[in-house]
Amino acid sequence: MSVNAQQERKSFEAVRTNEKITIDGVMDEDVWCQAPLVTDFIQNSPNPGMPSSKKTEVRMLYDDEAIYIVAQLYDKKEDVFNLLTNRDNIGNSDYFGVSFDPYNAGLNGVGIFVTVAGVQYDTRYSNGGNESIWRNDSGWNAVWLSSVKINDEYWTVEMKIPYAVLRFSSQDVQNWGINFMRQNTSLNESSYWSPIDPEISGYLNQAGVVKNIKNIKPPTRLFLYPYVSTVVNRATGVGASNPRLNGGMDIKYGINDAFTLDMTLIPDFSGVRSDRQVLNLSPFEVKFDENRAFFTEGVELFNKAGLFYSRRIGGTFGHRSRALNNNESVIYSPDAAQLINASKITGRTNKGLGIGFFNAITKPTYLEVENIDTGEKTQVEADPLTNFNVIVLDQNLKNNSSVTLTNTNVTRAKKGDDANVTAFNFRLNDANRNWRASGFFGYSNIASYADDIKDTKSGIKYNIGISKNRGQFQYGINRNVESDTYDINDLGFLRQSNQIEHGANFSFNQFSPVGAFNNYRIRLNANHEQLYEPQEFSSWRYSINASGQLKNFWSLSTEFNQSPGTSNDFFESRVAGYVFKKPSYHSGRININTDSRKQVRVSGNLRYGRRPDWDQTDISSNLSARIRIGERSEISHNLEISRQNNERGYARRLYDSGTGDLESVIFGRREVRNFTNTLNGSYIFTNRMGLTLRVRHYWSRVDYKEFYELTENDELIATNYTGIDSGERVDNRNYNAFNIDMEYNWQFAPGSEIKAIWKRSIGTNDYDTQLRFFDNFNNTFGAPNVDSITIRMVYFIDYLNIKNIFTKG
């Protein structure tokens, strides 16, 4: 596609209507004939820039209440992929969608999609969006209407999108960025009304324009989501608890035409999906996904600087109000802090200034402590009352550029640790969107108290990069610096600081079909790392990756990585000053995915790595299969297996029993095996009702073969430590995590739903690494387990509907 194709934006005139439009999937109102016909869609894939293989006709109207869209998508009935899924899961169905950018800035917007089966999907875009609708705020659920009808030669979708779904200015005459898209699954073809050039970064910036939307006013946006739920827990050896009745409410209030207040009062997160637990052998924290709806919806502004990890809210930090005595032991430690309430205000002014404010408060948590001598049990506060706060200012600039200021703050009562992080980041594009300069500067400050004496720790981070993001040849360089005292982990997530990193990348991109490929990419990367303090070399590595899609819509990728020479790991020992030296390492990977349109889809990858000096080999594989059963049911299975032989890593620290001083840091040569077996299934009754199931078994075995002492001279030497206590190797691990998550969901009215959720959790952690698979599985399945059953109903109340009822009455 040529550059000139993007210089003149497609457009059409908006048409107002006073006629009532029934959302039934039938274009039978006369007023539709007055709306401009939007057609001539252009492919984005597999043949960018070519006309769409199938005709699509779209019309749009508006009134004082909503936007109305009708689309006729031509295709033979037998060729349409009509598959039922849950809401916000398009799957392999054909679908139609529209994106709105009411401020016409090319940075932030809304996407509304409907499958041929009538399943709704909506998302909010930030940072210009992307041609893939899956990479944005898909946790957002708006309330809008749609209907689909399938005919012999075409299918029709009709939408009503209330203004309450959108954010726009109060100007009398407005021009909005807009685009329409269509996915034809039988052809594996995506096409857009306003062409999306894959050589250009971004999606919203390539949209067309709907002109002269006149005299519309942002409505009063007051939505109430009251809920009631009941929870029953049962544990092995304890039995079932009495049903616990909960109630609360989420509130969405449009403060003005641009800003919305979201609040959750007395929140209940009992039915969230189970975490993917793993055995963590690294010195760094495991990052888990956020599954709580309030923290996944509408948080794109708060995530823009990478300082907001919402799982911190409701977590425990262990800020004990006093030190434990030698004769005290902890017999109960909470794994969560109860959330009292949370709220967020987000919006954007007419001049493109985005403002975000987030605040949450959690209750104190308490340890239960037992006196070993007397048996007396007392409570010790582990976390005081805690307030979490985020403020963001994000200014849109021309050429889809932006600058952002973010501040996060954690304040704890009773002289608990307080933390504050302030960051400035920018993204600047040239007029043709060929080049981009990006940067980040952050400052962290933590205040802690010991014996009423205040101590502070501050740190900095900056990142600067420049890249060419358009055309077949793309490349970039960047520098990242994090001081040894930079710490964002009270509300953010950073696995490690104290590093200086330089990176460079180069890629060749073939966007249109050539030879056996629809498209392909070849990418080179190189990275060099060192400590910030002291400035000592850590590692350098390079990689080459090639990936592409074949003409039969199979996809292939392969990758080679190497870390030549010796690298220095300053973190594995868990002790400052001890350096773990690793010889050179190389690895290769290949991945294959079959055609996703088929009833059976198979994906697999194989990875092999080797560290010759240690005779270490790493082999991992992943095989997954998805089977569609008719138009309502789908089953998928994923099997991941990995094995590391002669890997070396941290085992434990040994201390002098008398003085408590560190005696030695023990490392071990070990065999690590991981096995993850995941089964997913679904049966969808209607486009508003479905049943889903996920079963996951994770098994990790760590078997130490030999031990060494890591010296302060960075050498691994022989040690008398055997790792055996009472006949067992106490450093070995046989860890199992087994989870079942089953959910029935019924959206009985727009925005209102009933959920019934059953969760089972089983876990084991012992030293027996010699068990075979079925023996281990039987032991795990017979271990103590915990069940939880949650029934939850949420009812959607729109203030305007209530107002209209009383007005008409």
Side-chain angles (χ1 to χ4, degrees):
M1 183 179 293
S2 68
V3 174
N4 292 333
Q6 287 299 322
Q7 291 179 344
E8 185 67 32
R9 297 175 70 183
K10 281 188 172 183
S11 64
F12 65 92
E13 290 286 326
V15 173
R16 176 183 280 276
T17 180
N18 294 317
E19 183 177 337
K20 178 178 173 58
I21 297 176
T22 303
I23 306 302
D24 55 6
V26 180
M27 194 176 64
D28 54 359
E29 292 86 1
D30 293 338
V31 71
W32 282 118
C33 297
Q34 301 176 22
L37 182 64
V38 177
T39 187
D40 297 331
F41 279 46
I42 302 298
Q43 291 186 47
N44 169 257
S45 66
N47 297 288
M50 299 298 293
S52 176
S53 302
K54 302 291 183 179
K55 183 169 66 173
T56 304
E57 296 178 341
V58 184
R59 299 175 191 268
M60 176 182 135
L61 296 166
Y62 73 98
D63 61 16
D64 290 335
E65 182 184 353
I67 298 289
Y68 301 87
I69 293 173
V70 66
Q72 289 185 327
L73 302 101
Y74 288 84
D75 205 355
K76 292 186 179 297
K77 184 176 182 179
E78 58 269 21
D79 293 335
V80 173
F81 275 56
N82 182 10
L83 305 173
L84 278 167
T85 56
N86 279 318
R87 194 188 197 282
D88 290 332
N89 179 13
I90 284 179
N92 274 341
S93 288
D94 285 23
Y95 59 86
F96 167 81
V98 55
S99 62
F100 296 99
D101 176 11
Y103 289 94
N104 202 17
L107 286 170
N108 302 279
V110 166
I112 304 291
F113 300 84
V114 183
T115 76
V116 70
V119 177
Q120 295 182 343
Y121 180 96
D122 41 36
T123 187
R124 289 198 281 211
Y125 301 104
S126 61
N127 294 325
N130 191 285
E131 63 269 22
S132 173
I133 65 174
W134 313 109
R135 302 179 187 176
N136 295 278
D137 179 21
S138 57
W140 173 61
N141 282 332
V143 179
W144 46 282
L145 301 178
S146 63
S147 184
V148 174
K149 294 290 184 184
I150 304 175
N151 302 293
D152 290 338
E153 300 295 329
Y154 62 89
W155 58 283
T156 303
V157 57
E158 201 168 16
M159 301 176 177
K160 178 182 179 181
I161 305 165
Y163 293 135
V165 173
L166 308 170
R167 290 174 178 170
F168 52 91
S169 74
S170 56
Q171 296 175 354
D172 292 337
V173 181
Q174 303 181 40
N175 296 334
W176 290 4
I178 195 169
N179 210 347
F180 304 101
M181 71 88 61
R182 172 188 185 172
Q183 176 70 25
N184 186 310
T185 303
S186 65
L187 300 176
N188 244 341
E189 178 183 295
S190 61
S191 55
Y192 293 80
W193 166 63
S194 182
I196 302 299
D197 188 342
E199 294 189 24
I200 299 176
S201 175
Y203 166 52
L204 293 177
N205 53 292
Q206 302 188 62
V209 182
V210 53
K211 296 181 176 180
N212 297 322
I213 301 176
K214 299 178 180 179
N215 301 319
I216 62 171
K217 300 299 179 183
T220 300
R221 301 192 306 272
L222 176 57
F223 305 139
L224 308 177
Y225 296 83
Y227 81 86
V228 293
S229 67
T230 183
V231 181
V232 177
N233 295 314
R234 184 213 58 84
T236 302
V238 177
S241 65
N242 293 324
R244 186 176 74 248
L245 185 65
N246 303 308
M249 182 183 297
D250 288 351
I251 300 173
K252 296 180 183 293
Y253 173 61
I255 299 172
N256 56 26
D257 59 343
F259 292 91
T260 300
L261 167 67
D262 291 85
M263 297 184 67
T264 180
L265 306 176
I266 318 176
D268 171 31
F269 302 120
S270 56
V272 297
R273 172 172 285 193
S274 303
D275 287 327
R276 298 176 180 270
Q277 297 287 347
V278 297
L279 177 62
N280 183 17
L281 296 178
S282 80
F284 309 119
E285 177 186 6
V286 176
K287 186 175 185 180
F288 291 108
D289 293 335
E290 177 60 86
N291 296 318
R292 299 170 295 179
F294 183 83
F295 297 106
T296 60
E297 178 183 333
V299 294
E300 63 272 16
L301 262 180
F302 305 110
N303 287 326
K304 199 161 187 181
L307 300 177
F308 182 58
Y309 177 46
S310 57
R311 288 295 295 263
R312 299 291 184 210
I313 301 169
T316 59
F317 293 78
H319 291 81
R320 298 177 182 178
S321 58
R322 67 171 178 84
L324 299 186
N325 299 321
N326 292 332
N327 64 343
E328 291 180 321
S329 65
V330 176
I331 59 176
Y332 170 75
S333 178
D335 57 7
Q338 183 177 345
L339 181 65
I340 298 174
N341 61 59
S343 59
K344 53 183 181 252
I345 297 175
T346 55
R348 193 169 293 273
T349 68
N350 292 344
K351 294 185 178 180
L353 175 62
I355 300 175
F357 175 85
F358 176 92
N359 200 80
I361 302 174
T362 58
K363 285 185 175 182
T365 64
Y366 296 90
L367 304 173
E368 189 170 354
V369 176
E370 183 178 36
N371 186 301
I372 300 173
D373 300 327
T374 65
E376 180 184 1
K377 298 177 182 178
T378 58
Q379 285 191 333
V380 174
E381 187 176 74
D383 292 285
L385 184 77
T386 305
N387 187 85
F388 301 85
N389 181 265
V390 186
I391 299 175
V392 182
L393 301 175
D394 176 57
Q395 178 64 57
N396 292 345
L397 303 174
K398 65 179 182 179
N399 304 327
N400 308 110
S401 303
S402 64
V403 293
T404 308
L405 179 69
T406 303
N407 177 266
T408 68
N409 189 78
V410 179
T411 304
R412 297 182 173 91
K414 300 180 181 179
K415 293 188 177 180
D417 291 0
D418 297 333
N420 187 280
V421 182
T422 301
F424 171 80
N425 59 294
F426 64 87
R427 190 179 70 163
L428 304 175
N429 300 308
D430 73 334
N432 294 319
R433 282 77 165 177
N434 286 321
W435 292 89
R436 173 180 297 164
S438 58
F440 174 98
F441 179 82
Y443 174 79
S444 68
N445 183 271
I446 297 177
S448 58
Y449 296 84
D451 298 326
D452 292 329
I453 299 175
K454 182 179 179 180
D455 184 33
T456 60
K457 180 182 75 170
S458 59
I460 63 167
K461 170 182 175 173
Y462 70 85
N463 183 293
I464 188 75
I466 186 169
S467 59
K468 180 179 181 292
N469 295 311
R470 184 171 181 175
Q472 283 191 310
F473 295 95
Q474 300 181 14
Y475 40 85
I477 57 173
N478 72 283
R479 171 180 168 89
N480 181 68
V481 176
E482 296 168 358
S483 72
D484 54 324
T485 52
Y486 182 69
D487 188 350
I488 65 171
N489 283 331
D490 285 80
L491 191 48
F493 185 92
L494 180 65
R495 282 194 170 87
Q496 69 177 73
S497 56
N498 194 18
Q499 64 176 349
I500 299 175
E501 181 179 7
H502 295 92
N505 64 81
F506 173 86
S507 67
F508 173 80
N509 305 272
Q510 179 63 41
F511 297 104
S512 56
V514 60
F517 288 89
N518 283 326
N519 55 71
Y520 65 83
R521 183 180 77 163
I522 300 173
R523 182 179 176 91
L524 299 171
N525 291 281
N527 289 83
H528 179 278
E529 293 183 6
Q530 67 183 68
L531 284 188
Y532 176 88
E533 181 61 40
Q535 291 192 4
E536 296 182 5
F537 169 77
S538 297
S539 66
W540 87 277
R541 59 188 180 276
Y542 64 88
S543 66
I544 180 169
N545 173 279
S547 60
Q549 185 187 74
L550 298 172
K551 289 288 182 65
N552 63 356
F553 295 102
W554 284 39
S555 61
L556 305 172
S557 67
T558 184
E559 184 175 76
F560 175 79
N561 299 271
Q562 184 166 27
S563 297
T566 300
S567 59
N568 298 316
D569 190 331
F570 297 92
F571 303 97
E572 177 68 15
S573 68
R574 282 78 160 171
V575 179
Y578 287 74
V579 181
F580 178 43
K581 292 187 175 295
K582 296 180 179 180
S584 63
Y585 182 82
H586 59 267
S587 67
R589 176 187 60 83
I590 186 169
N591 185 81
I592 301 175
N593 299 291
T594 65
D595 188 347
S596 63
R597 299 171 299 173
K598 303 300 184 182
Q599 186 175 2
V600 178
R601 184 193 186 190
V602 178
S603 301
N605 69 64
L606 179 66
R607 179 184 178 277
Y608 176 82
R610 179 161 174 78
R611 203 180 300 273
D613 288 4
W614 290 352
D615 195 25
Q616 175 186 339
T617 56
D618 301 341
I619 302 174
S620 63
S621 62
N622 182 311
L623 181 64
S624 62
R626 185 263 297 143
I627 302 174
R628 289 198 306 266
I629 305 171
E631 296 179 349
R632 298 178 182 272
S633 185
E634 183 174 289
I635 297 175
S636 64
H637 180 253
N638 183 66
L639 178 63
E640 300 176 53
I641 300 175
S642 67
R643 180 168 182 168
Q644 297 172 282
N645 291 320
N646 293 324
E647 191 241 7
R648 301 188 186 190
Y650 170 84
R652 66 172 57 228
R653 295 186 293 268
L654 300 180
Y655 295 90
D656 185 280
S657 58
T659 64
D661 294 335
L662 178 68
E663 280 191 337
S664 55
V665 179
I666 302 299
F667 273 60
R669 179 173 62 86
R670 60 198 183 190
E671 179 184 88
V672 181
R673 297 186 184 185
N674 293 317
F675 176 95
T676 307
N677 201 358
T678 307
L679 177 69
N680 289 279
S682 65
Y683 186 87
I684 310 302
F685 302 97
T686 71
N687 59 8
R688 295 180 180 274
M689 183 189 300
L691 182 69
T692 59
L693 171 71
R694 187 188 77 168
V695 181
R696 177 180 181 267
H697 176 214
Y698 170 85
W699 179 25
S700 182
R701 292 192 301 176
V702 183
D703 192 1
Y704 283 88
K705 305 298 184 181
E706 187 177 8
F707 292 96
Y708 315 94
E709 179 183 346
L710 178 65
T711 70
E712 293 184 80
N713 294 324
D714 311 331
E715 297 177 340
L716 290 177
I717 63 174
T719 178
N720 293 326
Y721 177 76
T722 63
I724 298 176
D725 184 13
S726 301
E728 289 187 315
R729 285 193 173 273
V730 295
D731 296 289
N732 288 355
R733 283 293 178 268
N734 184 58
Y735 177 84
N736 287 269
F738 185 90
N739 293 95
I740 300 174
D741 290 80
M742 179 180 287
E743 178 180 307
Y744 166 82
N745 186 299
W746 174 32
Q747 188 181 40
F748 61 89
S752 303
E753 65 180 10
I754 293 176
K755 288 185 177 182
I757 302 164
W758 170 51
K759 299 196 301 182
R760 168 166 287 191
S761 175
I762 310 173
T764 67
N765 191 1
D766 55 47
Y767 308 127
D768 192 350
T769 59
Q770 306 305 312
L771 290 174
R772 296 183 178 274
F773 173 80
F774 287 105
D775 292 333
N776 176 77
F777 185 79
N778 288 335
N779 286 353
T780 302
F781 209 69
N785 55 76
V786 177
D787 288 310
S788 174
I789 296 176
T790 303
I791 300 175
R792 176 184 173 96
M793 184 182 76
V794 179
Y795 191 78
F796 171 70
I797 301 173
D798 185 348
Y799 161 78
L800 288 179
N801 290 340
I802 301 298
K803 179 182 177 181
N804 291 337
I805 290 174
F806 282 98
T807 301
K808 293 177 180 178

Short mmCIF file of all heavy atoms in Angstrom, two decimals, residues 107 172 200 226 237 264 292 315 339 353 367 447 482 484 490 531 545 551 559 565 658 700 724 733 736 752 756 770 805:
data_model
loop_
_atom_site.label_atom_id
_atom_site.label_comp_id
_atom_site.label_asym_id
_atom_site.label_seq_id
_atom_site.Cartn_x
_atom_site.Cartn_y
_atom_site.Cartn_z
N LEU A 107 -5.53 8.46 19.05
CA LEU A 107 -4.85 7.86 20.19
C LEU A 107 -5.76 7.01 21.06
O LEU A 107 -5.36 5.95 21.55
CB LEU A 107 -4.19 8.95 21.06
CG LEU A 107 -2.94 9.60 20.48
CD1 LEU A 107 -2.55 10.80 21.31
CD2 LEU A 107 -1.80 8.59 20.44
N ASP A 172 -20.97 21.98 19.35
CA ASP A 172 -22.21 21.87 18.58
C ASP A 172 -22.03 21.03 17.32
O ASP A 172 -22.94 20.31 16.91
CB ASP A 172 -22.71 23.28 18.20
CG ASP A 172 -23.18 24.07 19.41
OD1 ASP A 172 -23.53 23.42 20.42
OD2 ASP A 172 -23.18 25.31 19.35
N ILE A 200 2.30 0.83 8.71
CA ILE A 200 2.18 1.99 9.57
C ILE A 200 1.80 1.54 10.97
O ILE A 200 0.85 0.76 11.14
CB ILE A 200 1.13 2.98 9.02
CG1 ILE A 200 1.53 3.46 7.62
CG2 ILE A 200 0.97 4.18 9.95
CD1 ILE A 200 0.51 4.36 6.97
N PRO A 226 -25.93 -3.05 41.42
CA PRO A 226 -26.03 -3.74 42.72
C PRO A 226 -25.87 -5.25 42.52
O PRO A 226 -26.29 -5.82 41.51
CB PRO A 226 -27.43 -3.38 43.20
CG PRO A 226 -28.19 -3.08 41.96
CD PRO A 226 -27.22 -2.48 41.00
N GLY A 237 -11.37 -32.26 56.04
CA GLY A 237 -11.10 -32.29 57.47
C GLY A 237 -11.82 -31.21 58.25
O GLY A 237 -11.81 -31.24 59.48
N THR A 264 -16.48 0.91 43.52
CA THR A 264 -16.97 -0.38 43.99
C THR A 264 -17.09 -0.30 45.51
O THR A 264 -16.13 0.06 46.20
CB THR A 264 -16.03 -1.54 43.56
OG1 THR A 264 -16.55 -2.77 44.05
CG2 THR A 264 -14.60 -1.36 44.04
N ARG A 292 -9.80 -9.67 38.60
CA ARG A 292 -10.91 -8.95 39.20
C ARG A 292 -11.40 -7.87 38.24
O ARG A 292 -10.62 -7.02 37.81
CB ARG A 292 -10.48 -8.33 40.53
CG ARG A 292 -10.03 -9.36 41.56
CD ARG A 292 -9.38 -8.69 42.77
NE ARG A 292 -8.14 -8.00 42.45
CZ ARG A 292 -7.41 -7.32 43.32
NH1 ARG A 292 -7.79 -7.26 44.59
NH2 ARG A 292 -6.30 -6.72 42.95
N GLY A 315 -3.18 -7.43 48.47
CA GLY A 315 -2.09 -8.31 48.87
C GLY A 315 -1.60 -7.95 50.26
O GLY A 315 -2.03 -6.97 50.87
N LEU A 339 -10.46 -5.53 50.79
CA LEU A 339 -10.64 -4.23 50.17
C LEU A 339 -11.90 -3.57 50.72
O LEU A 339 -12.99 -4.15 50.67
CB LEU A 339 -10.74 -4.39 48.66
CG LEU A 339 -10.90 -3.13 47.82
CD1 LEU A 339 -9.67 -2.25 47.93
CD2 LEU A 339 -11.15 -3.51 46.36
N LEU A 353 -6.41 16.45 26.95
CA LEU A 353 -5.73 16.12 28.21
C LEU A 353 -6.50 15.00 28.90
O LEU A 353 -7.64 15.19 29.34
CB LEU A 353 -5.65 17.34 29.11
CG LEU A 353 -5.05 17.09 30.51
CD1 LEU A 353 -3.61 16.61 30.40
CD2 LEU A 353 -5.16 18.33 31.39
N LEU A 367 -1.42 -11.36 61.92
CA LEU A 367 -0.84 -12.67 62.12
C LEU A 367 -1.36 -13.27 63.42
O LEU A 367 -1.60 -12.54 64.39
CB LEU A 367 0.69 -12.60 62.19
CG LEU A 367 1.45 -11.96 61.03
CD1 LEU A 367 2.93 -11.85 61.41
CD2 LEU A 367 1.28 -12.77 59.77
N ALA A 447 9.65 5.76 52.44
CA ALA A 447 9.94 6.18 53.82
C ALA A 447 9.55 5.05 54.76
O ALA A 447 8.42 4.57 54.73
CB ALA A 447 9.15 7.44 54.16
N GLU A 482 18.38 1.73 35.56
CA GLU A 482 17.64 1.62 36.82
C GLU A 482 18.65 1.58 37.95
O GLU A 482 19.50 0.69 38.00
CB GLU A 482 16.77 0.36 36.84
CG GLU A 482 15.68 0.36 35.78
CD GLU A 482 15.02 -1.00 35.62
OE1 GLU A 482 15.45 -1.94 36.33
OE2 GLU A 482 14.10 -1.12 34.80
N ASP A 484 20.23 1.15 41.78
CA ASP A 484 20.10 0.03 42.70
C ASP A 484 19.04 0.27 43.76
O ASP A 484 18.58 -0.67 44.42
CB ASP A 484 21.45 -0.26 43.37
CG ASP A 484 22.04 0.97 44.05
OD1 ASP A 484 21.87 2.08 43.52
OD2 ASP A 484 22.65 0.82 45.12
N ASP A 490 5.61 -1.33 45.73
CA ASP A 490 4.48 -1.17 46.63
C ASP A 490 3.17 -1.06 45.85
O ASP A 490 2.11 -1.43 46.36
CB ASP A 490 4.66 0.06 47.51
CG ASP A 490 5.67 -0.18 48.61
OD1 ASP A 490 6.89 -0.12 48.33
OD2 ASP A 490 5.25 -0.47 49.75
N LEU A 531 25.51 -3.96 35.79
CA LEU A 531 24.96 -3.38 37.01
C LEU A 531 25.07 -1.86 36.97
O LEU A 531 25.98 -1.30 36.35
CB LEU A 531 25.71 -3.91 38.24
CG LEU A 531 25.41 -5.32 38.72
CD1 LEU A 531 26.11 -5.55 40.06
CD2 LEU A 531 23.93 -5.59 38.85
N ASN A 545 15.08 -14.14 14.83
CA ASN A 545 13.76 -14.75 14.82
C ASN A 545 13.17 -14.59 13.42
O ASN A 545 13.27 -13.52 12.81
CB ASN A 545 12.85 -14.08 15.85
CG ASN A 545 11.41 -14.53 15.77
OD1 ASN A 545 10.65 -14.05 14.93
ND2 ASN A 545 11.04 -15.45 16.63
N LYS A 551 0.56 -19.78 2.70
CA LYS A 551 -0.65 -19.58 1.90
C LYS A 551 -1.81 -20.46 2.37
O LYS A 551 -2.98 -20.13 2.16
CB LYS A 551 -0.33 -19.89 0.43
CG LYS A 551 0.56 -18.85 -0.24
CD LYS A 551 -0.19 -17.56 -0.50
CE LYS A 551 0.66 -16.53 -1.22
NZ LYS A 551 1.05 -16.92 -2.58
N GLU A 559 13.54 -19.55 16.09
CA GLU A 559 14.35 -18.56 16.79
C GLU A 559 15.64 -19.19 17.28
O GLU A 559 15.65 -20.36 17.69
CB GLU A 559 13.57 -17.98 17.96
CG GLU A 559 14.28 -16.86 18.72
CD GLU A 559 13.39 -16.26 19.78
OE1 GLU A 559 13.21 -16.89 20.84
OE2 GLU A 559 12.85 -15.16 19.55
N GLY A 565 30.22 -16.24 25.86
CA GLY A 565 31.09 -15.88 26.96
C GLY A 565 30.42 -16.12 28.31
O GLY A 565 29.32 -16.66 28.41
N GLY A 658 25.28 -20.62 66.56
CA GLY A 658 25.52 -19.82 67.76
C GLY A 658 25.37 -18.33 67.52
O GLY A 658 24.61 -17.65 68.21
N SER A 700 5.82 -29.94 39.30
CA SER A 700 7.22 -29.57 39.17
C SER A 700 8.06 -30.41 40.12
O SER A 700 7.72 -30.55 41.29
CB SER A 700 7.41 -28.08 39.49
OG SER A 700 8.76 -27.70 39.31
N ILE A 724 20.73 -33.85 53.07
CA ILE A 724 19.95 -34.97 53.60
C ILE A 724 19.67 -34.74 55.08
O ILE A 724 20.57 -34.41 55.86
CB ILE A 724 20.70 -36.30 53.40
CG1 ILE A 724 20.90 -36.57 51.91
CG2 ILE A 724 19.93 -37.44 54.06
CD1 ILE A 724 21.71 -37.81 51.62
N ARG A 733 12.19 -31.00 45.65
CA ARG A 733 10.80 -30.56 45.69
C ARG A 733 9.96 -31.39 44.74
O ARG A 733 10.37 -31.68 43.61
CB ARG A 733 10.68 -29.08 45.30
CG ARG A 733 11.10 -28.11 46.40
CD ARG A 733 10.13 -28.17 47.58
NE ARG A 733 10.54 -27.28 48.67
CZ ARG A 733 11.29 -27.65 49.68
NH1 ARG A 733 11.79 -28.88 49.72
NH2 ARG A 733 11.58 -26.79 50.65
N ASN A 736 2.83 -29.86 43.44
CA ASN A 736 1.66 -30.02 42.59
C ASN A 736 0.64 -28.93 42.89
O ASN A 736 0.40 -28.59 44.05
CB ASN A 736 0.99 -31.38 42.84
CG ASN A 736 1.77 -32.54 42.27
OD1 ASN A 736 1.56 -32.94 41.13
ND2 ASN A 736 2.69 -33.07 43.07
N SER A 752 -26.98 -7.11 32.93
CA SER A 752 -27.36 -7.87 34.13
C SER A 752 -27.04 -9.34 33.90
O SER A 752 -27.26 -9.87 32.81
CB SER A 752 -28.85 -7.70 34.43
OG SER A 752 -29.20 -6.34 34.59
N ALA A 756 -22.87 -18.75 38.38
CA ALA A 756 -22.68 -19.82 39.36
C ALA A 756 -21.29 -20.40 39.11
O ALA A 756 -20.99 -20.85 38.00
CB ALA A 756 -23.75 -20.89 39.22
N GLN A 770 10.72 -39.21 43.09
CA GLN A 770 10.84 -40.46 42.34
C GLN A 770 9.49 -41.01 41.88
O GLN A 770 9.43 -42.07 41.26
CB GLN A 770 11.56 -41.52 43.20
CG GLN A 770 12.91 -41.06 43.73
CD GLN A 770 13.83 -40.59 42.62
OE1 GLN A 770 14.00 -41.27 41.61
NE2 GLN A 770 14.44 -39.42 42.82
N ILE A 805 -39.20 6.57 32.92
CA ILE A 805 -40.41 5.88 33.40
C ILE A 805 -41.24 6.83 34.25
O ILE A 805 -42.46 6.96 34.08
CB ILE A 805 -40.03 4.62 34.19
CG1 ILE A 805 -39.45 3.56 33.24
CG2 ILE A 805 -41.25 4.06 34.93
CD1 ILE A 805 -38.90 2.34 33.94
#
